[in-house]
Amino acid sequence: MPSSAIPPDLYAQLRADAAELEERRELPYKSVELVRSSGLGAFRVPQAHGGQGGSLAELFRVVVDLAEADSNVAQALRPHFGFVELLLSQGTEAERERWFPVVEGGALFGNAASERGTGRPGEIRTRITPDEGDFRVDGTKFYSTGSLFADYVVVIALDDEERRVRVVLPRTRKGLELYDDWDALGQRTTASGTTRLRGVRAFADEVAVDATGQQRRTHLGPYYQLYLAAVHTGIAKAAVADAVTYARDKARPVQHAGVDRAVDDPLIQHTVGEIAALTYAAEAAVLRAAQDIDAALTERGDDGTAGLEAPLHAAAVQVSQTQVIAARAALDASERLYDVGGASATLREHRLDRHWRNARTLASHNPIAHKARVTGDWLLNGTPPPLNGFF
């Protein structure tokens, strides 16, 4: 169980449904509605705008606990929390006045940024063009995480000046089509499929130039990457919890272990203790890295950027290290829990395989080897991490 970051009843309801929904590949609409009703969507909205004004360290405590309960729900909410973070750091005051009350009212925001089948990674082909005093958006997106649960979809397009433009569209806008065609082996219920935009009308107050494309360090890269590490940590915690439950309630010791109960087998004790230790380290690293980003943001100058770049370089490296730890903890815990249960633990009725499948799929977002290499280059040569959303 989580300590206090999310209400215990919310945690219990999410965790109770997670395995069955994932097995049936049934999108967790009810679970997302429970999170919406809890008010957690406005966790980072400043109190002056009616939100809770939580710190990043507090937010990532929430994310870890949500992911322990249901990692698919936690991952599906990544675009929502990311949009709020973007408004905080790079949105105009007009955007904050426009959207923070909507967030506070319970609205959720999905994602339609990435495309596949383009000539090079990160290329955007979706276009926004002027149309009778408003705008028209055309294109196709993939990895549209969370959009089927959302009230609004945040689309990235290029305008006639080849600038990245952010367009926030109601999910029900004519011409905006969402498809549940995400068929990966893990994260099966994050609704990360296709978005098609066919002559979708957009209005001026829904459109803004996207500053995240500028080549300067911001905290958004480390933020998005730390979110992945927090979800990995939640998966690891859930796997450890299931290993403990299975060892106590279902497992039998092997005949040559010399004990009557599985929980008295020294090898099972060692396995549980080791994966628990790795998970503890991952959780501590996530919360420490979040604190480091919080601390870096306090060093900004009056213009919002002065004095920020150097601490954010360091924070990006801290997050990269955290990702190495968290991914390994999740993969190790979700694989080694079978050493606790033996062959019977592999029966599909126990649904334990979802932990590894989700951890493996999540780890494929950004190869951990690159995180370790960038960390080494920073420590050895002082080379800052790349200026893109992956660091």
Side-chain angles (χ1 to χ4, degrees), residues 54 56 85 160 194 201 206 234 237 268-269 302:
L56 281 175
E85 201 64 31
D160 290 345
T194 298
R201 183 167 298 280
E206 298 170 335
K237 292 186 70 176
I268 289 179
Q269 293 171 353
D302 292 338

Side-chain angles (χ1 to χ4, degrees), residues 361-380:
T361 302
L362 195 68
S364 298
H365 281 65
N366 306 309
I368 298 304
H370 281 297
K371 305 295 180 175
R373 185 202 65 77
V374 165
T375 297
D377 197 13
W378 166 265
L379 294 173
L380 293 168

Side-chain angles (χ1 to χ4, degrees), residues 228-297:
L228 297 178
V231 176
H232 260 142
T233 300
I235 293 172
K237 292 186 70 176
V240 171
D242 280 349
V244 169
T245 298
Y246 195 93
R248 286 176 175 173
D249 300 340
K250 297 184 177 69
R252 295 183 300 170
V254 296
Q255 187 174 359
H256 45 278
V259 296
D260 295 327
R261 302 187 307 162
V263 293
D264 294 324
D265 184 339
L267 295 183
I268 289 179
Q269 293 171 353
H270 176 269
T271 298
V272 170
E274 193 162 58
I275 62 176
L278 291 172
T279 299
Y280 179 85
E283 186 171 27
V286 166
L287 300 181
R288 169 63 186 273
Q291 291 171 351
D292 288 343
I293 300 174
D294 272 329
L297 292 177

Side-chain angles (χ1 to χ4, degrees), residues 28-43 66 73 76-84 99-111 145-154 168-172 178 227:
Y29 287 104
K30 175 185 173 183
S31 299
V32 173
E33 284 303 309
L34 290 171
V35 176
R36 182 203 300 271
S37 299
S38 74
L40 287 174
F43 192 86
L66 284 175
V73 170
L77 292 170
R78 182 176 180 243
H80 171 82
F81 287 118
F83 179 65
V84 173
W99 295 114
F100 278 159
V102 178
V103 175
E104 175 59 23
L108 297 176
F109 292 75
N111 162 68
T145 302
S147 290
L148 283 167
F149 308 121
D151 303 283
Y152 295 87
V153 179
V154 183
V168 185
L169 297 169
R171 195 187 73 175
T172 56
L178 301 173
Y227 198 106

Side-chain angles (χ1 to χ4, degrees), residues 21-180:
L21 290 171
E22 210 272 355
E23 182 181 41
R24 297 200 307 256
R25 202 192 169 280
E26 180 180 328
L27 295 183
Y29 287 104
K30 175 185 173 183
S31 299
V32 173
E33 284 303 309
L34 290 171
V35 176
R36 182 203 300 271
S37 299
S38 74
L40 287 174
F43 192 86
R44 279 281 283 165
V45 174
Q47 292 180 353
H49 288 274
Q52 300 180 45
S55 68
L56 281 175
E58 292 169 330
L59 173 65
F60 280 105
R61 172 75 272 164
V62 167
V63 176
V64 168
D65 291 346
L66 284 175
E68 182 183 359
D70 187 333
S71 65
N72 285 283
V73 170
Q75 180 68 5
L77 292 170
R78 182 176 180 243
H80 171 82
F81 287 118
F83 179 65
V84 173
E85 201 64 31
L86 184 149
L87 291 177
L88 280 169
S89 64
Q90 297 183 14
T92 65
E93 188 57 33
E95 284 184 286
R96 289 190 279 267
E97 292 290 342
R98 168 74 172 86
W99 295 114
F100 278 159
V102 178
V103 175
E104 175 59 23
L108 297 176
F109 292 75
N111 162 68
S114 299
E115 301 179 16
R116 65 175 180 174
T118 57
R120 61 183 184 275
E123 183 179 6
I124 300 296
R125 293 180 176 173
T126 299
R127 309 296 302 197
I128 179 169
T129 54
D131 184 29
E132 299 180 356
D134 299 312
F135 298 93
R136 170 191 173 114
V137 187
D138 295 274
T140 301
K141 300 290 188 177
F142 198 58
Y143 310 111
S144 304
T145 302
S147 290
L148 283 167
F149 308 121
D151 303 283
Y152 295 87
V153 179
V154 183
V155 178
I156 299 297
L158 295 182
D159 67 8
D160 290 345
E161 299 178 40
E162 302 301 313
R163 298 178 300 179
R164 284 171 57 100
V165 173
R166 181 172 63 251
V167 190
V168 185
L169 297 169
R171 195 187 73 175
T172 56
R173 182 71 53 82
K174 182 180 179 181
L176 175 59
E177 302 170 355
L178 301 173
Y179 297 89
D180 179 23

Side-chain angles (χ1 to χ4, degrees), residues 325-336:
I325 296 168
R328 288 180 176 171
L331 291 167
D332 198 47
S334 59
E335 192 273 330
R336 292 181 64 196

